[in-house]
Amino acid sequence: MKNLNYLFLVIVVLLLIGKIKNSELATNSSRNHSKISQDNNKAFMLPLSGNYTKAPSIEDKVGQGVSLEKLLESKSQGPIFSFLFAPEFKKHWQQNKKAILEAFRERLSKPMPEQKEPHDTSFQNELRLRIALVQSLVKLQDSEIQPLFSEVLKSENQHWLLKWLSLRSLQQMKNIDNKEQYFSDLYKELDPRIINLSKYSEEDILDRLTSNAN
Amino acid sequence: MQTKLNFSLKFIASLILALLAIPKKGLALDYNDISNLTCPSQQEFSKSTETLQIRNLPEGNICDSSKKSHLARVIKMANDLAVKLPQNWKGGAAEALQNPFYYINKMTSFIDMDLSQSDSIAYNMGGAIYLGSFFFNDDPLSNLIALVHESRHSDPAAPLHTYCYQGDIPFFGAGCDQLFSVDKNAGAYAYQVSFSYGLAKFSDKLSASDKKFLIDDALSTIGTRFNRIPSLLATPHDVLVVLDDKGKIFEVEPFTNEMVPRQTWVDNKDISRIEFNNKTNKILAWTEEGYVYSVGGNEKGIFFGKNIDGKKPLKVIDLQQMATGTTSFLYFINEDRQIKYTYFDPSANKVVSKFSGFQAKDFKPERVILSPNEDKREILDDEGILHSMGRTSFVLSDFQPPDGRKWQQVYGSYLFQDIFGLDKTGTFWIYDHYKKTVKSAFQTSGFGLPIKVFEGTTLRAFLLDNNSLELEYIGTQNKPPFKYTVPSVSKIVDAVFIRRYQASSTFAEFPVNPLFVNECKIKTALLNPWTGKAMGLSNTNSLIFEGHDEQHLCTEYSYIKNIDDISLESTEPKESANIGYSSTSLNLSVDMHTVKIKPYEPYEISK
């Protein structure tokens, strides 16, 4: 029985070492690739001139005072999405409300890029980013966002997807004064298609689309 | 003691194991950030390269910041992101979702580089995928979507991209999927939407922001790259609007013929002409003096002139509004018969008005016509001759009626491809603007000589001189036209169709006026998608429509009695149509039969 206990302890320790090592490796693989390559396989040892280190996150950069407008210009949208939909975004909003609102407003009021050829995806990429900007504000429930949504809705030059999301966002806001009158006035100015669509969430639309297409 | 030690050891071991099982923050990083992606081993990558037959691999190592490393990680990700689909998933792209790597491999003969294409992400040529330079600047999930999209092009069942007739890139060849489908006939964009959404929905590995990215990608593709979106997003219903000789505007209820007056700010007697503005979904009302008002849903009307010049009142002979990208262009003929266009310049945040070189010299412009040319417009003059105008103008000889006949009316389609003409003998012509040929022509059927032709989404109408309309369903040649008489005591001088967009009542709640239910003794209520009000089956099995005011609260449809049930049926347009809308009918169950009633049309009975 004692032997068995020792055996168990040894197994646990071995497991522990293995797990920690794996964990380190996995962490390293995402943080410092030159290290893992040296550890793993000498055959593809990296020249250190590769110098591959993880770029600072948007959150870090914003913290360092880099303007959000500039960061939104980045072609790579993955880190931007991480920033917008991380739980910390709310905290970030509280600290940099004005700067975020201004950066978003500026981006949303820019003209959409012109499509130069069918395979050019710049228009779609821009639309995808703008959808994310609007979505990221919804959960904040801050009355200071209301004018921005209202501007998007009343702009003649916004895509219907952005108008639909802005209207949905407004409908979900709890702190609108005289809500009934506000929407009654607003609806008079809007395309009925947008009012209709505002009944659906993103998932509703995609669910309906993919289950009813044929 | 032994037992206690045993227990403690086991407890500590379980605790350690449990703690180790909790994912560390560092391990739950987003897939959509290339620097978070795990590199494959040399062996793994060699195997993948061989399987996918990747040629001309870019220089670099597997785990550095090179293009080679980017590709290596994305391919590893394609292997990692297989999802288990529920058995009832019918949303499409199942093969790619269940194993993206396998799907790309199956559909692709080889993968090669075309790095000279700096703005290109990827393209498919003859079953091989070529990666452009931009692939390596793009996000990993975008890369994966692009590989799946291009792989889909290798499937012979997948229709090729086609000309964009609407959406955000009208005028583009090979830029859109004709329709959205989740079936074997799904185009590459449709397949891409299904893949993005399915991955977001079912992956247990992706982070919340990865899933948002995929959902937003699906949405932005839906919003830009389809000529036809299923009607569920918003089904348009054609509603007839007429203008009488007293300058009053009415909506005509399609089943009860109730004339619902539309209020406008304009002094009613001044209104002399109405048109429908496709872009804004509102009525344009012209006054005798030539001023234009935009009359919306519930509002009384906004003076349109202020939207054009912003300063002084502007008289307008004719105008057309269209959208390219997200910019709205407005073409109009002013009172000096100059042809101008305006557009909103977001950088200056103002409406810009330009002459754009359209200056007619030898004729009087009367109507401006929507057409697929960005740098030219078609113009109808006051004598009924059609001109094409750009830097120079010429008579559009390809599309003039024969034997010296003149046009009564010419109008463009917001679908851009076709131009329609009604000549002064009552013959209707359809001209294919791309092929520069007349597609078809027919004599209107003889209910009378039309004074105007106009279209809704499913109906085309010829307004006759005796308060009646010859109506036909667009694109259905085997269905004869029918006559509809407007029940008005005054003379009808103009008419248009407006579109009322309604979501299906089966999944959108709508408030039913309790007064309607109580007063009209309604047992089953439905949304009337043509009016936005309610309709229902009464306790006496009659079909009752909620009217526009208290006097018409319970308006009975008196033609058919003893109705057992009522329902709405929408049919999607045929695939062959370039673009089309669903057509809705109201189905009544009567004595084991279905009576189908359609707006403004005599009813038919089917067994």
Side-chain angles (χ1 to χ4, degrees), chain B residues 241-259:
Chain B
V241 171
V242 295
L243 172 72
D244 72 11
D245 59 353
K246 297 186 174 68
K248 285 187 177 163
I249 299 175
F250 297 91
E251 259 182 47
V252 186
E253 207 281 338
F255 300 105
T256 63
N257 301 323
E258 187 188 343
M259 302 281 283

Side-chain angles (χ1 to χ4, degrees), chain B residues 302-367:
Chain B
I302 301 167
F303 180 53
F304 210 83
K306 76 172 183 184
N307 291 338
I308 300 173
D309 261 0
K311 290 174 192 164
K312 54 180 185 177
L314 189 74
K315 290 182 182 177
V316 173
I317 306 295
D318 194 30
L319 68 84
Q320 290 290 350
Q321 201 168 13
M322 62 188 292
T324 57
T326 46
T327 304
S328 166
F329 284 88
L330 185 75
Y331 291 87
F332 64 98
I333 304 169
N334 69 10
E335 59 185 313
D336 299 325
R337 305 278 169 168
Q338 293 166 324
I339 300 146
K340 297 176 84 174
Y341 79 89
T342 69
Y343 61 93
F344 179 77
D345 180 356
S347 56
N349 198 27
K350 65 174 185 181
V351 174
V352 179
S353 177
K354 289 193 173 178
F355 276 99
S356 82
F358 302 144
Q359 182 72 55
K361 286 179 184 159
D362 309 326
F363 58 90
K364 270 174 94 175
E366 190 72 22
R367 293 283 183 268

Side-chain angles (χ1 to χ4, degrees), chain A residues 1-2 5 8-9 12 15-16 19 23 26 29-30 33 41 44 46-47 50 52 54 75-79 81-82 85 109 111-112 115-121 123-124 127-128 131-132 135 156-157 159-161 164 188 191-193 196-197 199-200 202-203 205-210 213-214, chain B residues 2 6 9-10 13 16 20 24 27 30 32-33 35-36 38-39 42 61 63-65 73 90-91 121 134 139 142 168-169 172-175 180-183 197 201 209 212-213 215-225 230 232-233 281 299 321 326-328 344 346 501-503 507-508:
Chain A
M1 194 64 182
K2 198 178 173 185
N5 264 336
F8 186 70
L9 189 62
V12 167
L15 275 172
L16 192 58
K19 188 80 181 180
S23 166
S29 69
S30 61
H33 297 286
N41 191 338
F44 60 98
L46 278 179
Y52 195 70
K54 187 167 164 43
K75 283 182 177 173
S76 186
Q77 291 184 357
F81 271 72
S82 303
F85 298 106
S109 62
M112 291 292 280
Q115 205 80 33
K116 291 188 187 72
E117 51 170 308
H119 277 90
D120 175 8
T121 53
F123 189 100
Q124 279 173 284
L127 184 58
R128 187 175 59 203
I131 290 171
Q135 283 169 333
E156 270 213 22
N157 302 284
H159 194 278
W160 61 265
L161 279 163
W164 154 62
K188 286 178 189 166
D191 186 327
R193 283 168 285 194
N196 253 310
L197 272 181
K199 291 166 188 151
Y200 316 125
E202 300 96 80
E203 284 83 357
I205 284 193
L206 288 162
D207 268 339
R208 301 292 307 181
L209 204 60
T210 48
N214 297 303
Chain B
Q2 190 70 52
N6 243 342
L9 276 173
K10 279 182 185 168
I16 291 167
L20 288 171
K24 288 191 169 17
L27 295 176
D30 301 327
N32 207 22
D33 185 340
S35 58
N36 289 336
T38 314
C39 308
Q42 177 70 55
N61 289 293
C63 222
D64 60 6
S65 54
R73 294 181 212 207
K90 289 178 184 161
I121 297 172
F134 196 76
D139 300 296
S142 289
D168 293 89
I169 48 168
F172 260 109
F180 185 84
S181 169
V182 294
D183 215 341
Y197 184 49
K201 204 173 163 78
S209 78
K212 270 288 182 199
F213 182 89
I215 284 177
D216 291 355
D217 188 81
L219 287 171
S220 65
T221 308
I222 286 166
T224 52
R225 294 307 175 93
L232 82 116
L233 296 187
N281 201 42
E299 66 194 89
Q321 201 168 13
T326 46
T327 304
S328 166
F344 179 77
Y501 286 85
Q502 293 294 347
F507 62 98

Side-chain angles (χ1 to χ4, degrees), chain B residues 477-516:
Chain B
Q477 286 158 357
N478 51 357
K479 208 167 175 213
F482 54 95
K483 191 176 173 183
Y484 175 77
T485 302
V486 182
S488 171
V489 287
S490 295
K491 183 167 171 51
I492 302 301
V493 294
D494 207 349
V496 289
F497 279 122
I498 58 164
R499 289 167 204 165
R500 186 144 287 136
Y501 286 85
Q502 293 294 347
S504 159
S505 58
T506 54
F507 62 98
E509 284 178 23
F510 76 100
V512 182
N513 180 1
L515 208 60
F516 170 69

Side-chain angles (χ1 to χ4, degrees), chain B residues 45-273:
Chain B
F45 186 55
S46 298
K47 199 177 162 196
S48 300
T49 310
E50 198 180 318
T51 310
L52 293 171
Q53 297 197 38
I54 304 176
R55 301 176 179 180
N56 299 312
L57 269 173
E59 291 295 312
N61 289 293
I62 293 174
C63 222
D64 60 6
S65 54
S66 65
K67 287 185 169 71
K68 185 179 186 176
S69 171
H70 186 109
L71 184 59
R73 294 181 212 207
V74 168
I75 286 170
K76 179 169 167 49
M77 180 181 76
N79 248 321
D80 291 348
L81 287 185
V83 296
K84 193 165 187 280
L85 291 174
Q87 278 190 334
N88 60 355
W89 170 250
K90 289 178 184 161
E95 211 173 356
L97 283 165
Q98 282 163 334
N99 195 333
F101 181 90
Y102 168 81
Y103 180 73
I104 295 163
N105 183 38
K106 181 187 162 191
M107 305 306 294
T108 311
S109 50
F110 60 87
I111 295 176
D112 204 344
M113 309 298 133
D114 185 359
L115 303 179
S116 61
Q117 303 277 331
S118 60
D119 289 335
S120 169
I121 297 172
Y123 61 88
N124 182 322
M125 195 189 284
I129 295 177
Y130 293 83
L131 305 180
S133 280
F134 196 76
F135 182 90
F136 301 97
N137 293 327
D138 216 350
D139 300 296
L141 288 174
S142 289
N143 291 156
L144 182 60
I145 293 166
L147 287 170
V148 168
H149 176 112
E150 295 308 329
S151 301
R152 176 67 188 165
H153 277 304
S154 300
D155 193 325
L160 295 173
H161 293 320
T162 185
Y163 203 94
C164 294
Y165 294 104
Q166 62 162 23
D168 293 89
I169 48 168
F171 312 128
F172 260 109
C176 287
D177 270 7
Q178 188 56 28
L179 74 164
F180 185 84
S181 169
V182 294
D183 215 341
K184 61 183 177 199
N185 61 345
Y189 279 122
Y191 202 83
Q192 170 184 333
V193 168
S194 293
F195 178 74
S196 295
Y197 184 49
L199 197 54
K201 204 173 163 78
F202 301 116
S203 174
D204 54 5
K205 292 181 178 167
L206 294 171
S207 69
S209 78
D210 287 338
K211 291 183 178 187
K212 270 288 182 199
F213 182 89
L214 289 166
I215 284 177
D216 291 355
D217 188 81
L219 287 171
S220 65
T221 308
I222 286 166
T224 52
R225 294 307 175 93
F226 293 93
N227 279 335
R228 247 176 54 197
I229 301 286
S231 56
L232 82 116
L233 296 187
T235 309
H237 293 81
D238 295 333
V239 179
L240 180 66
V241 171
V242 295
L243 172 72
D244 72 11
D245 59 353
K246 297 186 174 68
K248 285 187 177 163
I249 299 175
F250 297 91
E251 259 182 47
V252 186
E253 207 281 338
F255 300 105
T256 63
N257 301 323
E258 187 188 343
M259 302 281 283
V260 183
R262 291 284 291 259
Q263 295 287 314
T264 65
W265 288 118
V266 198
D267 186 354
N268 276 341
K269 69 180 187 312
D270 281 345
I271 298 176
S272 58
R273 176 186 163 202

Side-chain angles (χ1 to χ4, degrees), chain B residues 416-556:
Chain B
F416 303 116
Q417 184 169 11
D418 297 333
I419 295 181
F420 304 89
L422 176 69
D423 73 23
K424 290 186 176 176
T425 68
T427 306
F428 185 72
W429 304 76
I430 302 175
Y431 176 69
D432 187 319
H433 207 290
Y434 299 136
K435 294 178 185 161
K436 305 216 175 301
T437 53
V438 173
K439 229 159 55 170
S440 64
F442 60 86
Q443 186 67 36
T444 49
S445 74
F447 295 125
L449 197 63
I451 53 173
K452 180 182 181 179
V453 53
F454 56 96
E455 286 184 6
T457 54
T458 55
L459 286 168
R460 180 178 294 132
F462 297 92
L463 177 64
L464 311 173
D465 204 16
N466 54 3
N467 279 14
S468 58
L469 298 155
E470 179 180 324
L471 292 167
E472 60 172 14
Y473 282 95
I474 298 167
T476 49
Q477 286 158 357
N478 51 357
K479 208 167 175 213
F482 54 95
K483 191 176 173 183
Y484 175 77
T485 302
V486 182
S488 171
V489 287
S490 295
K491 183 167 171 51
I492 302 301
V493 294
D494 207 349
V496 289
F497 279 122
I498 58 164
R499 289 167 204 165
R500 186 144 287 136
Y501 286 85
Q502 293 294 347
S504 159
S505 58
T506 54
F507 62 98
E509 284 178 23
F510 76 100
V512 182
N513 180 1
L515 208 60
F516 170 69
V517 176
N518 294 334
E519 294 284 317
C520 315
K521 299 185 171 42
I522 298 297
K523 57 180 179 183
T524 312
L526 282 180
L527 172 74
N528 176 348
W530 289 271
T531 62
K533 291 187 174 286
M535 57 188 178
L537 197 58
S538 72
N539 290 339
T540 56
N541 291 353
S542 294
L543 176 60
I544 312 286
F545 289 88
E546 181 188 2
H548 77 285
D549 59 14
E550 278 186 26
Q551 277 184 332
H552 299 83
L553 182 66
C554 310
T555 307
E556 187 179 344

Side-chain angles (χ1 to χ4, degrees), chain B residues 156 293 589:
Chain B
Y293 288 76
S589 300

Side-chain angles (χ1 to χ4, degrees), chain A residues 50-89:
Chain A
N51 247 351
Y52 195 70
T53 50
K54 187 167 164 43
S57 69
I58 288 198
E59 208 165 310
D60 297 338
K61 286 184 182 173
V62 172
Q64 290 158 14
V66 181
S67 94
L68 193 57
E69 286 99 321
K70 279 253 176 282
L71 297 171
L72 292 177
E73 294 299 331
S74 163
K75 283 182 177 173
S76 186
Q77 291 184 357
I80 298 170
F81 271 72
S82 303
F83 172 71
L84 294 174
F85 298 106
E88 297 81 31
F89 182 69

